[in-house]
Every structure is written in structure tokens, then in C-alpha cells.
Amino acid sequence: MSEAGSGRQGERVGGGRYRLLGELGRGGMGVVWRAYDEALGREVAIKEVRAPAGFGDRDIDRLYARMEREGRAAARVSHRNVVTVYDVAMEGRPWIVMELVRGLSLADVLDAEGPLPSARAARIGAEVLAALRAAHAVGVLHRDVKPGNVLMANDGRVVLTDFGIAVVEGDAALTLTGELVGSPEFLAPERALGRSPGPESDLWSLGVLLYAAVEGFSPFRQDTPLSTLRAVVDESLPRPRRAGPLTSVLEGLLDKDPRRRLPAAEAERLLRLVAAGGTPAGGSVSSPNAFGPAATAETEPLGRLPEPGATPAYPPAPDADGPAEPPDDPPPWRQRAAVAALVAGVLLAALSLGGLAWALLNKGG
């Protein structure tokens, strides 16, 4: 069955308190409205869920439950870089009432301006990371960090929004039939392999966002969701050409092993250093080996995705400028950390692999 009813301009929701003024945007699962709060005399944004045609009752119920959880997850995080949720109104389905952030998404900015200077990208990254650290501190994982979910407010703030697939510590998972949770090109390798996410998974997504912001393209994007996930798991990171002092930060955030990923506090410190015009210790370019094969002597592969048929040919990473050089000293955060011996990577169970492949190949019918 499909969902009955949808919002209309001029309609009042939330017991008549909120009057819908006009659409701000829409996607496959709903519409975001500009609305007026009659009780407090202010404009707000309201997210209305709209289940796609063909959804059964069970999936619609799960979608509504996830929408309510989005409101709870975002409301748990009180931070200037996280969108503020005011209310969740229930009228047949949930309507999330939140602050109206005037401005553009980072995706819109990148479309209009192209690649950003490293200092500007670092400032944006530091603000997003501050939002993520605040969320992680109260047990919330965002799981969908990407340029479209980062708002560049007219008042100068950088605001992380859309906690629609966030995980709140202690809550059960709410996954829809055949749904891939998250955007494949921003998904961390451990999540692509079906493993439980942690804060490090959000840090990987931030690294992909920063790479796209300075280089002008997403490093692992392929023609299909499945080939994109294979690239995330198996392919080496294309060597950055424009990142400059951000290069070592990208290396740290985009380590395929979450245990070796750059810690959040150190990442924020380095991002603020680059934003202020500085260069992380050790120079602006990290070891050439950072952009070599994903599997090394130190870190074996996390696993491989199933291959239905022949393995697709991936576009090669851009050629390095000249022959490989001996590795530099390890980055400062790894010198300071007490590194435990790493065990061999664990192969993912065949059932999990088959389930992921089925979900991807059957997504959208």
C-alpha cells in the first residue's frame, strides 16, 4: 500500500500550531517545509515523511518510527553546529519541527564554486567534526555525513543536519526492506562489509567529504552502488593533487582500518591548524605509501565483497609524480599512540556477504 495524505501549502499541522508556507526541498522519502509557528511567532523548518508507492504497512511503520528516532537523536545533541529540533508533531505520521537554517548546503556550494581552498575546507571540516564529537559524546552516530547534509548558514555557522539514519546507543536498528543505510560513496569500509559502526565510521565519511571538497570529486564513486562499495573496500585512495596541508589529515581519516584511523580530537586540532593557515608537523604531503595498495604488511584486508560474475574494472588512481620514495616517519598521532599488535583481518561470514549483495542488487527493484 502507499501512504495516504501529504502536506499542502497553507495547511496547519501540529494541532494547528504550524502553518506550511512553502517547500524548501524534497527527496525520495519526504519533503522539508518552511513553516510558521503561530504560538511563538517564528519561522521554522518542518520535515514531512512521505513513504514511496508500494511500501507495505510494516515498512511504513518502520519509516515513521525512524522519523521519530531522528527527532530524538538530534534533540539529544545540543551544539551550535547541529540543527536544533523543537518538536515532533504526530498527526497520522511524524512531522519534525526544527530551526530554519537560512543558507546553502555544502553540496550546493561545491556545485556552484568547484573545489575549495584547503584552508576553507579545513574550517568547514573542523566545524562538522565538532558537531560529530558532540553527537558521539551522547551516544549518537550520524551514519550519513556528506555534503548534502552540511548546511552553510548565512550567519557563518556550519550546521550538520539530517539525523534520519542515526543510531542512538541502546536503540534497536530500524532498516527498511532492501535498504542500504547511508550513501555508498561515503560509507566506511567496515560498514560496507556489514560490521557494526562506531564513531570512527563517521570520521571516514568526514574524510571523504573533505577529499571531495578540495579535489572536486568523490574518491571512491563508481557507476553502481555495488561497484562503489567494492572500491571503498578494495581500492587505494587516489593521491590528492590540491589538498596541500590537508593531505596528511586525509590520510589519517581515510585509513581503511578503523583502529588506525586518526582520532577525532587530533583530527579537529589539525583541521583548525590548517584553517588558520598552518601546516601539520611533518610537512604538507604524507608518505607516498599512504596512497598505495589497501592491504599492507601492517594491516591486512578487512574482507572482500561478493563478486557476482566477473570483477568490474575500476578506473586506476591518478599516476604518482615519479617513482615511489622510502616511507616517511609515521604521522605524529601514530607516534604518540601506544600501538597494539594488529591481528589478521577477519573474513565476513558468507551469509552477511550474500545479504549485502542482495540488498544492493535489489535496491529500487
Side-chain angles (χ1 to χ4, degrees), residues 175-349:
T175 303
L176 303 178
T177 301
E179 180 186 35
L180 175 65
V181 180
S183 305
E185 65 194 272
F186 294 94
L187 218 62
E190 62 272 18
R191 289 196 56 214
L193 290 168
R195 299 182 178 179
S196 297
E200 300 81 9
S201 301
D202 280 346
L203 298 183
W204 169 281
S205 301
L206 174 63
V208 178
L209 178 151
L210 287 171
Y211 189 105
V214 294
E215 297 297 318
F217 64 94
S218 183
F220 300 108
R221 181 187 297 167
Q222 305 291 323
D223 293 336
T224 68
L226 184 57
S227 60
T228 295
L229 291 181
R230 287 202 186 111
V232 166
V233 172
D234 296 330
E235 296 297 302
S236 58
L237 180 70
R239 180 183 298 279
R241 302 289 183 165
R242 301 171 45 91
L246 268 181
T247 302
S248 61
V249 182
L250 296 178
E251 174 201 351
L253 292 174
L254 294 175
D255 194 311
K256 291 186 185 289
D257 188 336
R259 299 165 296 184
R260 291 168 48 88
R261 216 159 280 158
L262 180 60
E266 181 69 0
E268 185 175 350
R269 185 187 72 81
L270 294 175
L271 287 171
R272 296 199 184 280
L273 174 65
V274 175
T279 299
S284 62
V285 179
S286 57
S287 165
N289 290 345
F291 308 102
T296 68
E298 291 182 279
T299 307
E300 296 192 12
L302 294 173
R304 296 186 67 86
L305 289 172
E307 301 187 12
T311 302
Y314 302 117
D319 293 334
D321 296 325
E325 301 172 6
D328 296 338
D329 291 335
W333 69 87
R334 290 181 184 158
Q335 291 176 332
R336 288 195 292 269
V339 181
L342 298 179
V343 298
V346 181
L347 296 177
L348 188 65

Side-chain angles (χ1 to χ4, degrees), residues 32-153:
V32 178
W33 294 88
R34 182 172 64 91
Y36 188 76
D37 183 343
E38 300 283 4
L40 296 180
R42 64 181 177 185
E43 288 194 354
V44 295
I46 298 183
K47 186 173 183 179
E48 173 201 5
V49 67
R50 291 184 180 178
F55 262 37
D57 291 343
R58 183 178 178 185
D59 279 343
I60 290 177
D61 288 343
R62 287 189 179 186
L63 184 62
Y64 290 172
R66 197 174 75 180
M67 189 81 166
E68 288 186 77
R69 187 166 72 178
E70 174 180 358
R72 293 201 311 273
R76 287 180 69 164
V77 188
S78 178
H79 194 274
R80 70 182 299 272
N81 297 117
V82 175
V83 66
T84 302
V85 171
Y86 299 135
D87 189 13
V88 178
M90 289 298 299
E91 290 191 355
R93 59 191 183 278
W95 301 68
I96 296 183
V97 184
M98 65 193 89
E99 68 170 312
L100 178 62
V101 180
R102 300 184 185 277
L104 298 173
S105 72
L106 178 57
D108 293 333
V109 172
L110 295 177
D111 285 343
E113 301 181 18
L116 304 181
S118 58
R120 184 180 176 193
R123 186 190 78 81
I124 294 169
E127 298 298 297
V128 174
L129 185 47
L132 288 174
R133 293 183 67 190
H136 296 164
V138 294
V140 175
L141 302 180
H142 190 279
R143 299 204 303 169
D144 200 19
V145 179
K146 60 184 180 181
N149 288 340
V150 175
L151 300 180
M152 312 297 293

